[in-house]
Amino acid sequence: MSGAGLQQPNGEATGMKAESEEQVLVHEEFTYIYGAATQVLKCGPGKDLWKNENAPRLLFLVIPGNPGLAGYYRTFIQTLYSGLNRQYPVWVVSHAGHCKVPHGMEMMEETDVNKLDDVFGLEGQIKHKLNFLRKNVPKDVKLVLVGHSIGCYIALEMMKHEPELEILRSMLLFPTIERMAQSPQGKFMTPLLCQLRYILYMPIFLMTLLPERVKSSLLRFALQGPKYDESSIATSIDLINMDCVANIMYLASQEMRKVLERDSTTIRQHLKKLTFYYGVTDMWCPMQYYEEMKMEFPDGDIRLCEKGIRHAFVLDASKEVAEMITDWVQDDLARL
């Protein structure tokens, strides 16, 4: 089942650009990938893109963090698409089950669920993204993967398991690719996610019963500040449903248990195609992880944020990060 190509402009104009991302239409689709409900947001030509012989054979694909709702990246993909002079499509695919499904659509497809792998878990999410590519993108289309947080781990695993993918560059933003449970934030969150997860469901369930305007007011209070992206507030409201929350917390619990040692072999194998971007105050991948990466891979493109951008950049710094990526990828695009 697939939703209609809804076009919903969003975002604020940037003063220096002739065309603002406010004018960039975002196509929204809901579909089943690997048996699970999935939301896809697309900037650029919507349907039948690859049937056009003149279509660019390059796709920018954003792989989210957790929560993996595509809506958090709406302003990000609009800004990135504008910065690329609208030459290349920019898509973001939600994690399996990380979306508020439209009326009449179930979280899981009507199929023999027992035959499917654990699609909502970490390994399942990797297979989910590979399945998405096989289903939607021709093999000859080159990819720029933009991973965020656990999306960086998924991107590296995709490159490891599908070496035939035509990867031009992988941009790994605030990369949680190692020792998550040992990070400062992981030490606090691991007991909550792994031992007390079901206890947390009750207050979340009570929140789902609140009227939409009350949810919106509470979220605006929690996210108070002039810089917060409006689309992130709308997406946070969509997040407050039990199916979505259960899938988010289940994936997070697996992250704590399974993201252990850094996969230096895969990183070394693809080093020339990788760009890492670490945060100075990031409690999920602290400065120690950045420094150790720099020591092990002195020739790698491993950068440290000098702008005070937080791990959850989609809440208030989508435009700044998208503009940085636009600059970073210019050399790669010039070689096409």
Side-chain angles (χ1 to χ4, degrees):
M1 176 177 176
S2 178
L6 305 178
Q7 299 180 343
Q8 301 175 5
N10 189 57
E12 299 175 3
T14 56
M16 299 300 291
K17 293 187 184 295
E19 292 181 313
S20 71
E21 60 267 16
E22 188 174 8
Q23 298 167 315
V24 173
L25 297 180
V26 178
H27 306 267
E28 180 182 41
E29 301 173 5
F30 289 89
T31 185
Y32 287 112
I33 301 294
Y34 212 54
T38 305
Q39 182 188 24
V40 186
L41 298 183
K42 300 179 178 181
C43 286
K47 295 185 177 181
D48 301 326
L49 168 61
W50 311 118
K51 292 182 180 178
N52 181 352
E53 290 183 2
N54 297 320
R57 311 308 284 180
L58 176 68
L59 169 67
F60 283 72
L61 181 66
V62 179
I63 304 172
N66 187 12
L69 283 79
Y72 281 121
Y73 298 83
R74 181 183 291 269
T75 299
F76 178 72
I77 64 171
Q78 286 176 305
T79 309
L80 185 55
Y81 182 62
S82 291
L84 297 166
N85 298 319
R86 310 189 183 207
Q87 285 185 274
Y88 306 104
V90 182
W91 298 356
V92 55
V93 55
S94 77
H95 291 321
H98 290 211
C99 57
K100 181 181 179 181
V101 295
H103 182 71
M105 185 178 185
E106 299 296 328
M107 191 61 86
M108 288 295 293
E109 194 172 14
E110 288 291 334
T111 184
D112 185 353
V113 177
N114 293 327
K115 291 183 179 179
L116 296 172
D117 290 325
D118 181 14
V119 67
F120 300 129
L122 186 54
E123 292 300 317
Q125 295 289 359
I126 297 162
K127 293 176 181 177
H128 171 265
K129 305 305 175 294
L130 292 171
N131 193 272
F132 172 81
L133 288 175
R134 282 193 286 268
K135 189 174 178 180
N136 293 281
V137 182
K139 290 183 178 180
D140 67 326
V141 172
K142 289 182 170 62
L143 298 168
V144 174
L145 299 180
V146 183
H148 173 216
S149 191
I150 195 61
C152 302
Y153 179 90
I154 292 172
L156 286 174
E157 288 293 303
M158 291 168 67
M159 295 173 77
K160 176 181 177 179
H161 291 298
E162 294 283 346
E164 66 273 16
L165 287 176
E166 291 280 348
I167 305 292
L168 182 67
R169 169 78 42 190
S170 283
M171 303 285 188
L172 306 178
L173 308 172
F174 306 98
T176 53
I177 57 173
E178 60 178 301
R179 296 174 286 172
M180 285 190 68
Q182 296 176 38
S183 69
Q185 191 74 1
K187 289 177 181 177
F188 172 73
M189 292 299 295
T190 298
L192 293 176
L193 293 168
C194 295
Q195 283 84 44
L196 304 174
R197 189 166 89 242
Y198 296 103
I199 296 175
L200 297 178
Y201 287 171
M202 182 53 69
I204 294 168
F205 172 72
L206 294 175
M207 281 192 70
T208 67
L209 303 178
L210 297 173
E212 294 295 302
R213 58 182 177 78
V214 177
K215 293 179 191 175
S216 178
S217 297
L218 288 173
L219 284 167
R220 288 179 188 279
F221 177 77
L223 301 176
Q224 54 187 310
K227 287 186 65 179
Y228 278 104
D229 193 314
E230 278 297 315
S231 63
S232 69
I233 294 174
T235 303
S236 296
I237 295 172
D238 286 344
L239 183 155
I240 304 173
N241 71 83
M242 286 310 297
D243 285 341
C244 188
V245 166
N247 293 335
I248 288 166
M249 295 183 71
Y250 175 61
L251 175 59
S253 70
Q254 288 214 338
E255 292 171 35
M256 299 305 112
R257 292 187 173 107
K258 294 189 175 185
V259 180
L260 303 172
E261 296 305 313
R262 181 175 65 241
D263 184 357
S264 293
T265 302
T266 298
I267 293 171
R268 187 170 293 106
Q269 182 180 353
H270 299 284
L271 189 60
K272 292 182 179 179
K273 296 181 178 181
L274 302 175
T275 295
F276 294 89
Y277 190 65
Y278 284 84
V280 173
T281 59
D282 193 340
M283 294 294 99
W284 281 113
C285 35
M287 280 283 288
Q288 176 192 347
Y289 294 6
Y290 160 77
E291 291 164 353
E292 291 172 358
M293 278 286 290
K294 289 285 286 185
M295 288 181 64
E296 184 164 357
F297 303 103
D299 297 328
D301 186 6
I302 302 165
R303 308 177 185 221
L304 186 65
C305 175
E306 298 175 351
K307 302 183 178 183
I309 298 172
R310 66 163 115 186
H311 185 89
F313 75 88
V314 291
L315 295 179
D316 57 8
S318 289
K319 294 179 182 180
E320 292 91 327
V321 176
E323 287 164 3
M324 285 191 299
I325 289 177
T326 302
D327 291 337
W328 297 347
V329 80
Q330 290 306 314
D331 287 344
D332 295 300
L333 296 179
R335 290 195 293 269
L336 286 175

